[in-house]
Amino acid sequence: MRYSIHHETVYTYNQPVILAPHLLRLRPRSNGWQTVERFTLKVTPNPSGTSEIIDLDGNSSIQIWFGQAIETLKIETESRVETRVDNPFYYLLEPWATRLPFDYPGSLQLQLQPYLQPFGTLGDPAVSELARDLLHETENNPISFLSALTSRIYEDCEYTVRPEGEPWTPGITWTKRQGSCRDFVVLFMDVCRAVGLATRFVSGYQEGDPEGGERDLHAWVEVYLPGGGWRGYDPTHGLAVSDRHIALVSSPIPSYCAPVTGTAKPVKTTDLRLDSQLEARIAIEPLP
């Protein structure tokens, strides 16, 4: 599949501000599963400088900084991307990875440590119980486990729109049986990590209804399967990720996938509390 994507983000402040350097995570990934054919970035006002950065997770980010006070920041990207994963199950697991929990080789276990830590400081009992139930139901088969978990969240939880805020803790999402896509992803990640499956959070775009007009950023999860590498699952839509998703960035820590990060402070110290408004518009067009 080939897509043309327009993403516009506008921050409007209620007074002149000085911006600290901002990090933009808006360039789509380019690898064996998807290729960026074109990417353009326009920032208004023009930044004093820009720097291309490859972070610890291999994501391509852009840092921008300013030398003047501003009241409005506008960030526009245009991307053309080709995706190629038409069969998300076309791989062979390592012989030692056909039953959960995996007995990782020592070096791989060490590399995967950040992707195995539960969200927060301690695992949630409700999450652990769900993981045990699914293990029993699927007889410890990893692929069946992931499919069952995807279906369980999709069928049992109600999707809600939460434009802002950190993901809920997995226990809250599962108790409420509702959440946004990022809440479902964190729940999915922690259930997997409870049985020793390494996971990471992914932010990007999903094709959705071609007639649906403007979209929002979407989130899904990637699971590391020895022999198959990182494989995507989308509990919000109840499916394995193929060529209808366009990834921007991924990280074991959800906050490291935010599309724009940075701080602002008022130019002058006054009694007026600093406030800002955020508007984002995303349009996705499938190409022939």
Side-chain angles (χ1 to χ4, degrees), residues 36-88:
V36 179
E37 299 176 348
R38 185 180 70 192
F39 175 81
T40 60
L41 168 69
K42 180 180 179 182
V43 180
T44 308
N46 286 327
S48 300
T50 64
S51 176
E52 300 281 348
I53 297 172
I54 302 298
D55 68 17
L56 281 171
D57 296 290
N59 302 306
S60 178
S61 305
I62 301 170
Q63 187 179 58
I64 58 174
W65 58 93
F66 299 87
Q68 76 272 28
I70 70 167
E71 292 188 59
T72 302
L73 174 64
K74 184 177 182 180
I75 303 166
E76 296 177 271
T77 63
E78 297 279 351
S79 305
R80 181 168 292 181
V81 181
E82 180 182 8
T83 59
R84 291 187 292 274
V85 184
D86 56 345
N87 181 357

Side-chain angles (χ1 to χ4, degrees), residues 36 42 52 88 99 114 116 151 159 175 183 211 213 240 255 280:
V36 179
K42 180 180 179 182
E52 300 281 348
R99 183 175 175 82
L116 292 166
S151 298
Y159 175 77
T175 300
D183 302 319
E211 306 299 325
S255 61

